[in-house]
Amino acid sequence: MTLLEDLKFRGLVNQMTDEEGLTELLENESVTLYCGFDPTGDSLHIGHLLTILMLRRFQQAGHKPLALVGGATGLIGDPSGKKAERTLNEQNVVEEFSNKIKGQLSRFLDFGGTDGAKLVNNYDWIGTMSVIDFLRDVGKHFGLNYMLAKDSVESRISSGISFTEFSYMILQSYDFYELYKKEGCKLQIGGSDQWGNITAGLELIRKMSGVEEDERPKAFGFTIPLVTKADGTKFGKTEGGAVWLDAEKTSPYEFYQFLINTEDQDVIKFTKYFTFLSKDEIESLEVEVAERPHERLAQKRLAQELTKIVHGEAALNQAENISAALFGGGDLKGLTADEVLQGFKDVPSYSANDGDIGLIELLVNAGISPSKRQAREDIKNGAVYVNGDRIQDLEKTITEEDKIDGKFTIIRRGKKKFFLIRY
């Protein structure tokens, strides 16, 4: 399949400004394209991943991606898809966020060599522009009625939109013009909520390049669908918040488990969206979901592929080790200290002295059992597990052998109540 045929199979095509022209362009030359990422936080999240992987798909097909970090537009705030004004961050905060996002993007794209992907920051050209230059050279090309008709603006008219956010469309359009002029960029991609900004950029390129209105445009716009689950809710949200690409904010194990828990009705769609598996492999997984859904093979493959892409093979192995130990009857004692911290991040913990201690005493001191009497009953009844092993010996002492990497002991009371003892 050609690149566009593959994207259509995966359901990744939402809108194109000129399908015939773009198809011809992609088939006959190496195209420079870009997508922007505003540094509104210190990490990108899984909602950004689809556009990042789109850049990767284009690069694998022989095209050159520009990953734009919005050091300037991040100071303004994009109203697209937002019901209220964003809180504006200070410049030093945005610069810090920009540097972190640059590091994350470099994990997904090949920036090596003269033909590799390239990181750009729009603060380099917007940050030096004066207000007069902005209004006279760029703003004059935007009619008020034209801007008001765009969804990103029209949807906010009733609730209110500041001139700051109103001007965002102009700034993003100027980004496209700058990259078109200096980098030969002919294609901008983005989420479906960016359609208005992208087409405004194409209009600005036409006007500032002196191209007649009836001439074929020299640049193109392309959007991908908004990622939603079968129940209509937004993909990438959990009870604890967003699923981040930063391992410090969302551990590889949490990331893996988020994907493992994908519903049957969503898993094939997300496998098409987020993995690089072939059409034949995906269709084979679709059969597995239909005939043997209880085996959850598609969910496992999705979790494996995407965790490896985002966090690497070693982190995937850790996530699988933790999952096997917790849910597959694996050996808790075989976990490393880092795997224990990931898998038991949110369970109650207790810091004990580094020495031997009786199990009954530890259960009471850690608040696992309310009294020594209850602790004895729990042990007698087989309700207490140390590192996955049921303990019914009232004389049991926790020794160095019961400490994982010399740092942790995992105690379970009943079926689901885990506790982490730290040394």
Side-chain angles (χ1 to χ4, degrees):
M1 290 190 290
T2 65
L3 174 60
L4 282 181
E5 286 171 344
D6 181 59
L7 296 180
K8 287 178 180 178
F9 160 71
R10 295 176 184 277
L12 290 173
V13 178
N14 185 59
Q15 292 167 296
M16 283 185 275
T17 52
D18 175 7
E19 182 173 352
E20 182 181 345
L22 182 58
T23 300
E24 182 181 341
L25 184 72
L26 292 172
E27 289 179 355
N28 290 289
E29 64 179 89
S30 175
V31 176
T32 298
L33 68 150
Y34 99 93
C35 182
F37 304 90
D38 275 348
T40 54
D42 60 357
S43 172
L44 297 172
H45 52 72
I46 201 169
H48 294 109
L49 195 54
L50 196 59
T51 47
I52 298 172
L53 296 181
M54 279 290 288
L55 290 178
R56 183 164 169 165
R57 293 184 197 281
F58 273 87
Q59 185 171 36
Q60 289 184 347
H63 306 291
K64 180 176 180 176
L66 303 175
L68 183 145
V69 177
T73 45
L75 292 165
I76 303 301
D78 185 358
S80 303
K82 299 296 177 184
K83 295 180 180 179
E85 191 99 0
R86 293 177 184 267
T87 300
L88 298 180
N89 291 313
E90 297 297 326
Q91 185 169 344
N92 64 318
V93 174
V94 172
E95 287 176 358
E96 181 184 342
F97 290 169
S98 296
N99 289 331
K100 290 186 176 180
I101 288 173
K102 283 180 182 178
Q104 289 183 344
L105 290 171
S106 65
R107 302 206 309 258
F108 302 98
L109 301 170
D110 179 7
F111 289 95
T114 55
D115 295 327
K118 186 176 180 179
L119 277 166
V120 293
N121 189 328
N122 62 14
Y123 193 82
D124 292 342
W125 53 84
I126 295 176
T128 57
M129 185 184 295
S130 72
V131 175
I132 298 299
D133 290 339
F134 171 71
L135 294 174
R136 286 178 58 87
D137 298 338
V138 185
K140 69 178 181 181
H141 294 293
F142 287 82
L144 198 59
N145 290 339
Y146 175 82
M147 295 179 70
L148 289 171
K150 297 293 184 181
D151 288 342
S152 60
V153 174
E154 185 182 29
S155 62
R156 286 281 299 280
I157 293 297
S158 58
S159 61
I161 184 171
S162 69
F163 176 75
T164 301
E165 285 198 341
F166 184 69
S167 67
Y168 186 93
M169 181 192 301
I170 302 176
L171 295 177
Q172 183 172 326
S173 299
Y174 189 68
D175 287 343
F176 199 176
Y177 171 74
E178 276 289 312
L179 295 175
Y180 172 82
K181 181 177 66 173
K182 294 180 178 177
E183 301 285 348
C185 178
K186 295 182 179 179
L187 173 64
Q188 182 183 174
I189 68 170
S192 58
D193 61 343
Q194 294 300 309
W195 182 248
N197 292 334
I198 291 172
T199 52
L202 291 170
E203 185 70 7
L204 182 64
I205 289 172
R206 184 185 68 79
K207 289 180 177 179
M208 294 187 73
S209 301
V211 179
E212 294 299 325
E213 191 165 355
D214 59 348
E215 288 188 20
R216 186 181 225 175
K218 295 181 178 179
F220 302 84
F222 183 109
T223 64
I224 57 181
L226 180 67
V227 188
T228 56
K229 295 186 286 188
D231 61 8
T233 59
K234 197 172 182 179
F235 172 76
K237 295 293 185 181
T238 67
E239 290 182 5
V243 178
W244 301 98
L245 304 188
D246 185 341
E248 296 298 318
K249 296 169 75 75
T250 299
S251 72
Y253 165 71
E254 292 172 313
F255 188 88
Y256 179 88
Q257 281 298 315
F258 170 76
L259 295 165
I260 279 286
N261 290 318
T262 302
E263 297 290 341
D264 290 343
Q265 56 265 49
D266 290 321
V267 68
I268 296 302
K269 179 173 78 170
F270 294 162
T271 301
K272 289 179 178 179
Y273 278 7
F274 291 104
T275 77
F276 291 81
L277 298 180
S278 68
K279 182 174 183 287
D280 288 344
E281 289 176 291
I282 292 172
E283 289 176 345
S284 175
L285 288 173
E286 195 166 11
V287 172
E288 294 286 349
V289 173
E291 296 180 355
R292 291 173 289 279
H294 59 283
E295 295 183 7
R296 301 185 68 77
L297 294 179
Q299 282 87 345
K300 291 175 185 175
R301 194 66 191 278
L302 171 65
Q304 288 170 342
E305 291 294 318
L306 202 48
T307 304
K308 184 164 60 176
I309 288 171
V310 174
H311 294 293
E313 188 124 21
L316 168 62
N317 291 337
Q318 285 188 330
E320 290 183 318
N321 288 343
I322 300 166
S323 300
L326 287 176
F327 309 112
D331 182 13
L332 290 176
K333 296 187 290 295
L335 296 176
T336 65
D338 184 49
E339 289 169 350
V340 170
L341 286 174
Q342 286 190 54
F344 298 89
K345 176 182 175 183
D346 298 320
V347 307
S349 66
Y350 171 75
S351 296
N353 293 328
D354 190 9
D356 295 353
I357 183 173
L359 178 57
I360 291 174
E361 182 182 354
L362 180 60
L363 291 175
V364 175
N365 291 349
I368 299 171
S369 297
S371 66
K372 288 186 176 181
R373 178 183 175 184
Q374 184 63 54
R376 290 189 188 95
E377 287 187 17
D378 290 339
I379 294 171
K380 282 181 182 179
N381 293 334
V384 175
Y385 297 76
V386 175
N387 295 332
D389 295 331
R390 176 180 283 168
I391 303 298
Q392 293 183 282
D393 179 6
L394 294 176
E395 303 301 320
K396 168 67 178 175
T397 298
I398 302 298
T399 65
E400 200 64 31
E401 292 182 357
D402 299 305
K403 298 172 184 177
I404 299 171
D405 271 2
K407 297 178 180 179
F408 305 106
T409 300
I410 301 166
I411 293 181
R412 174 161 63 93
R413 182 186 179 210
K415 290 185 177 181
K416 295 182 179 179
K417 292 183 179 179
F418 284 94
F419 300 84
L420 184 62
I421 309 301
R422 301 170 181 261
Y423 302 98

